[in-house]
Amino acid sequence: MESPMRILVPALALTALALTGCAMSPAETARAQANAEATRAALGQQLAGLHATGTDDCLDTFRTNSASLKAYGPTLVYRVSNGLVYVNDTAGGCEAIEHGDYLVTRSNSGRLCRGDIGQTFSAGSHIPTGSCALGSFTTYRK
């Protein structure tokens, strides 16, 4: 079975290139690639020492209420504890969390599920800054 990190790396790179558009100068291309590499490295540090133990389409909200949330490109990381992390690969659009915005999700089931929509808002003005569709949740444990 292929490692989840090997799947995340191409997904982050493709997303970074797709978001940058078609008409990029060489300097812009190099900057986008450097940003994607930095994002991959930061995500790798967050998951260091942890192993993927399974994937679920839904996650009980009580697990995420006390979790710290960080975005690494289109990937959301819910850190519940040092030994428990949930990773969600969104379809993109919620990257503003990396810059301090917060995420609001709405769910009809009382759980966060694949396909639910999350919307980001600026922390100061509470103006909407983006939205994304959640993917499946991958559990990482020590």
Side-chain angles (χ1 to χ4, degrees), residues 53-70 76-81 84-90 103 105-116 134-141:
T53 60
T55 302
D56 293 306
D57 284 340
C58 293
L59 186 64
D60 293 324
T61 54
F62 74 86
R63 295 186 184 273
T64 62
N65 286 342
S66 63
S68 68
L69 172 64
K70 290 190 178 183
L76 302 180
V77 175
Y78 295 88
R79 181 171 290 279
V80 177
S81 68
L84 178 59
V85 173
Y86 296 101
V87 175
N88 189 285
D89 290 313
T90 71
L103 180 70
T105 55
R106 293 177 182 87
S107 176
N108 295 327
S109 67
R111 304 170 74 193
L112 291 178
C113 293
R114 184 177 60 138
D116 285 350
L134 298 179
S136 296
F137 293 88
T138 303
T139 304
Y140 285 80
R141 296 183 185 274

Short mmCIF file of all heavy atoms in Angstrom, two decimals, residues 53-70 76-81 84-90 103 105-116 134-141:
data_model
loop_
_atom_site.label_atom_id
_atom_site.label_comp_id
_atom_site.label_asym_id
_atom_site.label_seq_id
_atom_site.Cartn_x
_atom_site.Cartn_y
_atom_site.Cartn_z
N THR A 53 -3.54 5.27 10.38
CA THR A 53 -4.17 4.05 10.90
C THR A 53 -5.52 3.78 10.28
O THR A 53 -6.11 2.74 10.54
CB THR A 53 -4.33 4.12 12.43
OG1 THR A 53 -5.15 5.24 12.76
CG2 THR A 53 -2.97 4.23 13.11
N GLY A 54 -6.03 4.68 9.47
CA GLY A 54 -7.31 4.44 8.82
C GLY A 54 -7.90 5.72 8.27
O GLY A 54 -7.42 6.82 8.55
N THR A 55 -8.94 5.55 7.49
CA THR A 55 -9.64 6.67 6.87
C THR A 55 -11.13 6.53 7.14
O THR A 55 -11.67 5.44 7.04
CB THR A 55 -9.38 6.71 5.35
OG1 THR A 55 -7.96 6.79 5.14
CG2 THR A 55 -10.04 7.90 4.70
N ASP A 56 -11.76 7.64 7.48
CA ASP A 56 -13.20 7.67 7.72
C ASP A 56 -13.82 8.80 6.93
O ASP A 56 -13.20 9.84 6.73
CB ASP A 56 -13.51 7.88 9.21
CG ASP A 56 -13.09 6.70 10.06
OD1 ASP A 56 -13.51 5.57 9.75
OD2 ASP A 56 -12.32 6.92 11.02
N ASP A 57 -15.08 8.61 6.51
CA ASP A 57 -15.78 9.67 5.80
C ASP A 57 -16.32 10.73 6.75
O ASP A 57 -16.58 11.85 6.33
CB ASP A 57 -16.94 9.09 4.98
CG ASP A 57 -16.45 8.42 3.71
OD1 ASP A 57 -15.33 8.70 3.27
OD2 ASP A 57 -17.21 7.61 3.14
N CYS A 58 -16.51 10.38 8.02
CA CYS A 58 -17.04 11.33 9.00
C CYS A 58 -16.21 11.31 10.28
O CYS A 58 -15.56 10.32 10.58
CB CYS A 58 -18.49 11.00 9.35
SG CYS A 58 -19.63 11.24 7.97
N LEU A 59 -16.29 12.40 11.00
CA LEU A 59 -15.56 12.54 12.26
C LEU A 59 -16.50 13.21 13.25
O LEU A 59 -17.14 14.22 12.94
CB LEU A 59 -14.32 13.42 12.03
CG LEU A 59 -13.35 13.59 13.16
CD1 LEU A 59 -12.71 12.25 13.53
CD2 LEU A 59 -12.27 14.58 12.76
N ASP A 60 -16.61 12.63 14.44
CA ASP A 60 -17.45 13.23 15.48
C ASP A 60 -16.91 14.61 15.82
O ASP A 60 -15.70 14.80 15.98
CB ASP A 60 -17.48 12.36 16.73
CG ASP A 60 -18.19 11.04 16.49
OD1 ASP A 60 -19.18 11.04 15.72
OD2 ASP A 60 -17.76 10.01 17.04
N THR A 61 -17.80 15.58 15.96
CA THR A 61 -17.35 16.96 16.20
C THR A 61 -16.66 17.13 17.55
O THR A 61 -15.82 18.00 17.70
CB THR A 61 -18.51 17.97 16.08
OG1 THR A 61 -19.55 17.55 16.96
CG2 THR A 61 -19.02 18.05 14.67
N PHE A 62 -17.00 16.28 18.54
CA PHE A 62 -16.32 16.43 19.83
C PHE A 62 -14.83 16.19 19.69
O PHE A 62 -14.03 16.70 20.47
CB PHE A 62 -16.92 15.51 20.91
CG PHE A 62 -16.57 14.07 20.77
CD1 PHE A 62 -15.40 13.56 21.32
CD2 PHE A 62 -17.41 13.20 20.08
CE1 PHE A 62 -15.07 12.22 21.20
CE2 PHE A 62 -17.08 11.86 19.95
CZ PHE A 62 -15.91 11.37 20.51
N ARG A 63 -14.41 15.44 18.69
CA ARG A 63 -12.98 15.20 18.47
C ARG A 63 -12.28 16.45 17.93
O ARG A 63 -11.10 16.64 18.14
CB ARG A 63 -12.77 14.04 17.52
CG ARG A 63 -13.24 12.73 18.09
CD ARG A 63 -12.85 11.60 17.14
NE ARG A 63 -13.35 10.33 17.59
CZ ARG A 63 -12.71 9.54 18.43
NH1 ARG A 63 -11.54 9.90 18.92
NH2 ARG A 63 -13.23 8.39 18.80
N THR A 64 -13.00 17.28 17.21
CA THR A 64 -12.38 18.46 16.61
C THR A 64 -12.58 19.72 17.45
O THR A 64 -11.87 20.70 17.24
CB THR A 64 -12.93 18.72 15.20
OG1 THR A 64 -14.33 18.96 15.27
CG2 THR A 64 -12.64 17.55 14.29
N ASN A 65 -13.51 19.73 18.38
CA ASN A 65 -13.77 20.93 19.18
C ASN A 65 -12.56 21.35 20.00
O ASN A 65 -12.30 22.53 20.16
CB ASN A 65 -14.97 20.72 20.10
CG ASN A 65 -16.27 20.75 19.34
OD1 ASN A 65 -16.34 21.22 18.22
ND2 ASN A 65 -17.32 20.21 19.93
N SER A 66 -11.83 20.38 20.54
CA SER A 66 -10.66 20.72 21.35
C SER A 66 -9.36 20.63 20.55
O SER A 66 -8.28 20.83 21.09
CB SER A 66 -10.58 19.78 22.55
OG SER A 66 -10.41 18.45 22.10
N ALA A 67 -9.47 20.35 19.28
CA ALA A 67 -8.27 20.19 18.44
C ALA A 67 -7.78 21.54 17.94
O ALA A 67 -8.55 22.46 17.74
CB ALA A 67 -8.59 19.29 17.25
N SER A 68 -6.47 21.62 17.74
CA SER A 68 -5.93 22.80 17.06
C SER A 68 -6.00 22.52 15.56
O SER A 68 -5.73 21.41 15.11
CB SER A 68 -4.51 23.08 17.51
OG SER A 68 -3.64 22.08 17.06
N LEU A 69 -6.39 23.52 14.80
CA LEU A 69 -6.56 23.36 13.36
C LEU A 69 -5.51 24.20 12.65
O LEU A 69 -5.35 25.38 12.93
CB LEU A 69 -7.96 23.82 12.94
CG LEU A 69 -8.24 23.88 11.44
CD1 LEU A 69 -8.14 22.50 10.81
CD2 LEU A 69 -9.60 24.49 11.19
N LYS A 70 -4.82 23.55 11.71
CA LYS A 70 -3.86 24.26 10.86
C LYS A 70 -4.09 23.81 9.42
O LYS A 70 -4.52 22.69 9.17
CB LYS A 70 -2.43 23.95 11.27
CG LYS A 70 -2.04 24.56 12.60
CD LYS A 70 -0.57 24.43 12.84
CE LYS A 70 -0.23 25.10 14.16
NZ LYS A 70 1.19 25.08 14.42
N LEU A 76 -6.08 20.17 5.70
CA LEU A 76 -6.38 20.62 7.06
C LEU A 76 -5.89 19.56 8.04
O LEU A 76 -6.10 18.37 7.83
CB LEU A 76 -7.88 20.81 7.24
CG LEU A 76 -8.57 21.79 6.29
CD1 LEU A 76 -10.06 21.87 6.61
CD2 LEU A 76 -7.92 23.16 6.37
N VAL A 77 -5.25 20.01 9.12
CA VAL A 77 -4.73 19.10 10.14
C VAL A 77 -5.37 19.47 11.47
O VAL A 77 -5.19 20.59 11.96
CB VAL A 77 -3.19 19.19 10.22
CG1 VAL A 77 -2.67 18.32 11.37
CG2 VAL A 77 -2.56 18.77 8.90
N TYR A 78 -6.12 18.52 12.02
CA TYR A 78 -6.73 18.66 13.34
C TYR A 78 -5.85 17.89 14.32
O TYR A 78 -5.82 16.66 14.30
CB TYR A 78 -8.14 18.06 13.37
CG TYR A 78 -9.15 18.76 12.50
CD1 TYR A 78 -9.32 18.41 11.17
CD2 TYR A 78 -9.95 19.77 13.03
CE1 TYR A 78 -10.27 19.04 10.39
CE2 TYR A 78 -10.90 20.40 12.25
CZ TYR A 78 -11.06 20.03 10.93
OH TYR A 78 -11.99 20.66 10.16
N ARG A 79 -5.12 18.60 15.18
CA ARG A 79 -4.26 17.94 16.17
C ARG A 79 -5.03 17.88 17.48
O ARG A 79 -5.25 18.88 18.15
CB ARG A 79 -2.95 18.68 16.36
CG ARG A 79 -2.03 17.99 17.39
CD ARG A 79 -0.64 18.57 17.42
NE ARG A 79 0.14 18.27 16.23
CZ ARG A 79 0.78 17.11 16.04
NH1 ARG A 79 0.72 16.16 16.94
NH2 ARG A 79 1.48 16.91 14.95
N VAL A 80 -5.45 16.66 17.85
CA VAL A 80 -6.20 16.44 19.09
C VAL A 80 -5.23 16.33 20.26
O VAL A 80 -5.46 16.86 21.33
CB VAL A 80 -7.09 15.19 18.97
CG1 VAL A 80 -7.81 14.90 20.27
CG2 VAL A 80 -8.08 15.35 17.82
N SER A 81 -4.12 15.62 20.04
CA SER A 81 -3.07 15.47 21.04
C SER A 81 -1.77 15.17 20.31
O SER A 81 -1.77 15.06 19.08
CB SER A 81 -3.41 14.34 22.02
OG SER A 81 -3.36 13.09 21.35
N LEU A 84 -2.44 11.91 18.42
CA LEU A 84 -3.65 11.73 17.60
C LEU A 84 -3.88 12.96 16.73
O LEU A 84 -4.05 14.08 17.22
CB LEU A 84 -4.86 11.50 18.49
CG LEU A 84 -6.21 11.33 17.78
CD1 LEU A 84 -6.18 10.14 16.81
CD2 LEU A 84 -7.33 11.16 18.80
N VAL A 85 -3.88 12.73 15.42
CA VAL A 85 -4.06 13.80 14.44
C VAL A 85 -5.02 13.29 13.36
O VAL A 85 -4.94 12.14 12.94
CB VAL A 85 -2.71 14.20 13.79
CG1 VAL A 85 -2.90 15.18 12.66
CG2 VAL A 85 -1.77 14.77 14.84
N TYR A 86 -5.91 14.17 12.91
CA TYR A 86 -6.79 13.87 11.79
C TYR A 86 -6.40 14.80 10.64
O TYR A 86 -6.28 16.01 10.82
CB TYR A 86 -8.25 14.09 12.15
CG TYR A 86 -8.74 13.17 13.23
CD1 TYR A 86 -8.86 13.61 14.53
CD2 TYR A 86 -9.05 11.85 12.93
CE1 TYR A 86 -9.29 12.76 15.53
CE2 TYR A 86 -9.49 10.99 13.92
CZ TYR A 86 -9.61 11.45 15.21
OH TYR A 86 -10.03 10.60 16.20
N VAL A 87 -6.23 14.23 9.45
CA VAL A 87 -5.84 14.99 8.27
C VAL A 87 -6.98 14.92 7.27
O VAL A 87 -7.52 13.85 7.01
CB VAL A 87 -4.55 14.41 7.66
CG1 VAL A 87 -4.21 15.12 6.35
CG2 VAL A 87 -3.39 14.55 8.64
N ASN A 88 -7.34 16.09 6.71
CA ASN A 88 -8.41 16.16 5.73
C ASN A 88 -7.89 16.88 4.50
O ASN A 88 -7.44 18.03 4.59
CB ASN A 88 -9.61 16.91 6.32
CG ASN A 88 -10.81 16.81 5.42
OD1 ASN A 88 -10.87 17.47 4.40
ND2 ASN A 88 -11.75 15.98 5.80
N ASP A 89 -7.95 16.21 3.37
CA ASP A 89 -7.55 16.83 2.11
C ASP A 89 -8.78 17.43 1.47
O ASP A 89 -9.64 16.71 0.95
CB ASP A 89 -6.91 15.80 1.18
CG ASP A 89 -5.56 15.37 1.68
OD1 ASP A 89 -4.77 16.24 2.05
OD2 ASP A 89 -5.30 14.15 1.73
N THR A 90 -8.88 18.76 1.54
CA THR A 90 -10.02 19.45 0.96
C THR A 90 -9.83 19.60 -0.54
O THR A 90 -8.76 19.29 -1.07
CB THR A 90 -10.19 20.85 1.58
OG1 THR A 90 -9.13 21.69 1.11
CG2 THR A 90 -10.20 20.79 3.10
N LEU A 103 -12.25 28.74 10.52
CA LEU A 103 -13.11 27.88 9.70
C LEU A 103 -14.43 27.64 10.41
O LEU A 103 -14.47 27.32 11.60
CB LEU A 103 -12.40 26.53 9.47
CG LEU A 103 -13.16 25.51 8.64
CD1 LEU A 103 -13.23 25.95 7.18
CD2 LEU A 103 -12.48 24.15 8.72
N THR A 105 -17.84 25.29 9.80
CA THR A 105 -18.43 24.21 9.01
C THR A 105 -19.89 24.04 9.41
O THR A 105 -20.27 24.27 10.56
CB THR A 105 -17.68 22.88 9.21
OG1 THR A 105 -17.65 22.58 10.60
CG2 THR A 105 -16.27 22.96 8.67
N ARG A 106 -20.67 23.61 8.46
CA ARG A 106 -22.08 23.32 8.72
C ARG A 106 -22.33 21.88 8.33
O ARG A 106 -21.90 21.43 7.27
CB ARG A 106 -22.97 24.25 7.91
CG ARG A 106 -22.87 25.68 8.34
CD ARG A 106 -23.72 26.59 7.47
NE ARG A 106 -23.58 27.97 7.87
CZ ARG A 106 -22.63 28.78 7.43
NH1 ARG A 106 -21.74 28.34 6.57
NH2 ARG A 106 -22.55 30.02 7.85
N SER A 107 -23.01 21.18 9.20
CA SER A 107 -23.28 19.77 8.93
C SER A 107 -24.70 19.44 9.37
O SER A 107 -25.15 19.89 10.42
CB SER A 107 -22.29 18.89 9.69
OG SER A 107 -22.60 17.54 9.50
N ASN A 108 -25.38 18.66 8.58
CA ASN A 108 -26.74 18.23 8.92
C ASN A 108 -26.74 17.05 9.86
O ASN A 108 -27.74 16.75 10.49
CB ASN A 108 -27.52 17.89 7.65
CG ASN A 108 -27.75 19.10 6.78
OD1 ASN A 108 -27.91 20.21 7.27
ND2 ASN A 108 -27.76 18.90 5.47
N SER A 109 -25.61 16.36 9.97
CA SER A 109 -25.56 15.13 10.77
C SER A 109 -24.97 15.33 12.16
O SER A 109 -24.95 14.41 12.96
CB SER A 109 -24.74 14.07 10.03
OG SER A 109 -23.38 14.48 9.97
N GLY A 110 -24.46 16.52 12.48
CA GLY A 110 -23.80 16.74 13.76
C GLY A 110 -22.38 16.20 13.77
O GLY A 110 -21.74 16.19 14.80
N ARG A 111 -21.91 15.76 12.63
CA ARG A 111 -20.55 15.27 12.46
C ARG A 111 -19.95 15.99 11.27
O ARG A 111 -20.66 16.47 10.41
CB ARG A 111 -20.56 13.76 12.18
CG ARG A 111 -21.26 12.95 13.25
CD ARG A 111 -21.46 11.53 12.82
NE ARG A 111 -20.17 10.84 12.89
CZ ARG A 111 -19.95 9.66 12.35
NH1 ARG A 111 -20.89 9.04 11.68
NH2 ARG A 111 -18.77 9.10 12.47
N LEU A 112 -18.63 16.07 11.23
CA LEU A 112 -17.97 16.57 10.03
C LEU A 112 -17.84 15.42 9.06
O LEU A 112 -17.33 14.35 9.43
CB LEU A 112 -16.58 17.11 10.36
CG LEU A 112 -16.51 18.38 11.19
CD1 LEU A 112 -15.06 18.74 11.47
CD2 LEU A 112 -17.22 19.52 10.49
N CYS A 113 -18.31 15.59 7.85
CA CYS A 113 -18.29 14.49 6.89
C CYS A 113 -17.73 14.95 5.54
O CYS A 113 -17.79 16.14 5.20
CB CYS A 113 -19.69 13.93 6.68
SG CYS A 113 -20.36 13.10 8.12
N ARG A 114 -17.23 13.98 4.82
CA ARG A 114 -16.76 14.23 3.46
C ARG A 114 -17.90 14.87 2.67
O ARG A 114 -19.05 14.44 2.74
CB ARG A 114 -16.33 12.93 2.81
CG ARG A 114 -15.74 13.11 1.43
CD ARG A 114 -15.28 11.79 0.93
NE ARG A 114 -16.44 10.91 0.89
CZ ARG A 114 -16.70 10.06 -0.09
NH1 ARG A 114 -15.87 9.94 -1.07
NH2 ARG A 114 -17.76 9.31 -0.05
N GLY A 115 -17.60 15.95 1.98
CA GLY A 115 -18.60 16.67 1.21
C GLY A 115 -19.19 17.86 1.94
O GLY A 115 -19.79 18.73 1.31
N ASP A 116 -19.02 17.93 3.27
CA ASP A 116 -19.48 19.11 4.00
C ASP A 116 -18.69 20.33 3.53
O ASP A 116 -17.53 20.21 3.13
CB ASP A 116 -19.29 18.96 5.51
CG ASP A 116 -20.31 18.03 6.15
OD1 ASP A 116 -21.29 17.64 5.47
OD2 ASP A 116 -20.13 17.69 7.33
N LEU A 134 -14.94 19.41 2.32
CA LEU A 134 -14.11 18.49 3.07
C LEU A 134 -13.97 17.16 2.34
O LEU A 134 -14.90 16.72 1.66
CB LEU A 134 -14.69 18.25 4.46
CG LEU A 134 -14.79 19.46 5.37
CD1 LEU A 134 -15.43 19.06 6.70
CD2 LEU A 134 -13.44 20.09 5.60
N GLY A 135 -12.83 16.54 2.52
CA GLY A 135 -12.60 15.20 1.98
C GLY A 135 -12.71 14.20 3.11
O GLY A 135 -13.24 14.50 4.18
N SER A 136 -12.19 13.01 2.90
CA SER A 136 -12.17 11.99 3.95
C SER A 136 -11.15 12.34 5.00
O SER A 136 -10.20 13.09 4.75
CB SER A 136 -11.84 10.62 3.35
OG SER A 136 -12.85 10.23 2.46
N PHE A 137 -11.33 11.82 6.22
CA PHE A 137 -10.42 12.07 7.33
C PHE A 137 -9.49 10.88 7.50
O PHE A 137 -9.95 9.75 7.67
CB PHE A 137 -11.22 12.27 8.62
CG PHE A 137 -12.04 13.53 8.62
CD1 PHE A 137 -13.31 13.54 8.13
CD2 PHE A 137 -11.50 14.70 9.13
CE1 PHE A 137 -14.08 14.70 8.13
CE2 PHE A 137 -12.25 15.87 9.15
CZ PHE A 137 -13.55 15.86 8.63
N THR A 138 -8.19 11.14 7.47
CA THR A 138 -7.20 10.11 7.73
C THR A 138 -6.70 10.27 9.15
O THR A 138 -6.31 11.37 9.54
CB THR A 138 -6.03 10.20 6.75
OG1 THR A 138 -6.53 10.11 5.41
CG2 THR A 138 -5.01 9.09 6.99
N THR A 139 -6.74 9.19 9.92
CA THR A 139 -6.30 9.21 11.32
C THR A 139 -4.82 8.87 11.36
O THR A 139 -4.39 7.88 10.78
CB THR A 139 -7.10 8.19 12.14
OG1 THR A 139 -8.49 8.46 12.00
CG2 THR A 139 -6.71 8.24 13.61
N TYR A 140 -4.06 9.68 12.09
CA TYR A 140 -2.64 9.44 12.33
C TYR A 140 -2.43 9.26 13.83
O TYR A 140 -2.92 10.07 14.61
CB TYR A 140 -1.77 10.60 11.83
CG TYR A 140 -1.61 10.64 10.34
CD1 TYR A 140 -2.58 11.17 9.53
CD2 TYR A 140 -0.46 10.12 9.75
CE1 TYR A 140 -2.43 11.21 8.14
CE2 TYR A 140 -0.29 10.15 8.38
CZ TYR A 140 -1.28 10.69 7.58
OH TYR A 140 -1.12 10.72 6.23
N ARG A 141 -1.73 8.21 14.22
CA ARG A 141 -1.43 7.93 15.63
C ARG A 141 0.05 7.62 15.78
O ARG A 141 0.71 7.22 14.85
CB ARG A 141 -2.24 6.74 16.13
CG ARG A 141 -3.73 6.98 16.14
CD ARG A 141 -4.47 5.77 16.71
NE ARG A 141 -5.88 5.91 16.62
CZ ARG A 141 -6.65 6.51 17.51
NH1 ARG A 141 -6.11 7.02 18.58
NH2 ARG A 141 -7.95 6.60 17.34
#
